[in-house]
Amino acid sequence: EQFKLVYGLTIASRFLSARDKDELREGAIKDILGFSTWLLFGGFVSNGVIKLIDKVKGTKLYGKTRDEVLSVFLKSKGISMIENNKAIPFKKLLKHADKATKTNLRYLSIAQFAGYLFSGLVLGFGIPKLNIYMTNKNEQKRKEKVRS
């Protein structure tokens, strides 16, 4: 919740400090698409990759977390995840995992990375290029009006 508040205030401050229409539009596009890409679409890409892996590899990872995948294996082997009334760290538990479980965890990591890569490309390359294109088009229209 704090993240949403800080992110919202950051967006609002950019809108309020915009010097002209172009800067306001660029900020709106960057923030709306950035928010959507970072918090929504990146997750959709990750989920899509997991569904693809499930289909191709015959796994059933969609909707599961790393903790769930590891805990299912550990429970099947009767390995406790608690020691001295405390949860055992993930890294320590991972040492007990078999090759198939580690492979499934790797698939989840690949899917997460795909989501991050998608978000990074859109945020770092796509949105800036879109804003540059739109600003150049608007500038061209303004110059044509002055000539007319």
Side-chain angles (χ1 to χ4, degrees), residues 9-115:
L9 291 173
T10 302
I11 291 170
S13 70
R14 279 189 231 160
F15 289 161
L16 293 171
S17 66
R19 294 173 288 187
D20 58 26
K21 290 188 294 185
D22 285 330
E23 197 170 300
L24 181 61
R25 180 193 37 76
E26 287 176 4
I29 288 171
K30 178 174 56 178
D31 290 327
I32 291 167
L33 289 178
F35 181 84
S36 300
T37 299
W38 191 29
L39 297 176
L40 299 174
F41 301 134
F44 292 155
V45 169
S46 293
N47 288 337
V49 170
I50 282 295
K51 284 182 179 180
L52 181 63
I53 289 171
D54 281 349
K55 185 176 181 179
V56 171
K57 299 290 186 178
T59 59
K60 294 180 182 174
L61 298 171
Y62 182 71
K64 293 184 181 173
T65 65
R66 284 178 187 73
D67 290 337
E68 290 169 332
V69 169
L70 184 57
S71 69
V72 166
F73 170 77
L74 295 172
K75 284 179 185 177
S76 74
K77 298 297 179 188
I79 300 170
S80 177
M81 295 179 284
I82 298 174
E83 187 175 77
N84 299 326
N85 291 327
K86 292 183 181 178
I88 299 171
F90 186 87
K91 274 189 169 183
K92 190 173 179 183
L93 292 170
L94 188 58
K95 292 176 184 177
H96 299 287
D98 66 352
K99 185 176 180 179
T101 301
K102 288 180 180 178
T103 298
N104 286 340
L105 293 170
R106 193 172 308 111
Y107 291 152
L108 289 172
S109 295
I110 289 167
Q112 184 176 19
F113 179 75

